[in-house]
Amino acid sequence: MPTVVRATITPNSRKGPLVEVLEDGALRLYVRPPAVEGKANEATIELLAAHLGVSKSSVRLTGGATSRFKRFEIADRYPPGRA
């Protein structure tokens, strides 16, 4: 079963790339690319994958493609029966 991660994204940020963990367990991600033509979403997936130590293909945007508030699914590292 995939893990769901909630994140708030700040595109076009001088502060990024940076990941902050909020008190409620959600993440705040700062990325440098602007929110144009999916560039910020792409940078967010790369940053989130690096932060979690998984491949980019394991991270899937499932909600909030055009919003600052996004939901991601992180694929399990070990499918059932392969641990």
Side-chain angles (χ1 to χ4, degrees):
M1 175 167 249
T3 303
V4 176
V5 175
R6 293 179 301 120
T8 302
I9 313 305
T10 303
N12 205 24
S13 172
R14 292 183 190 177
K15 199 173 181 179
L18 176 69
V19 178
E20 292 179 348
V21 180
L22 304 178
E23 290 180 15
D24 65 354
L27 300 176
R28 177 176 297 267
L29 286 83
Y30 298 89
V31 294
R32 289 188 182 264
V36 176
E37 298 177 3
K39 291 179 183 178
N41 286 342
E42 191 174 308
T44 299
I45 289 172
E46 289 178 20
L47 180 59
L48 186 57
H51 178 73
L52 298 173
V54 299
S55 66
K56 290 188 298 185
S57 62
S58 297
V59 178
R60 189 169 65 109
L61 178 62
T62 58
T66 59
S67 171
R68 288 179 179 263
F69 306 102
K70 301 189 185 297
R71 191 172 53 249
F72 296 91
E73 281 187 0
I74 312 303
D76 290 335
R77 291 185 185 190
Y78 305 104
R82 301 217 43 208

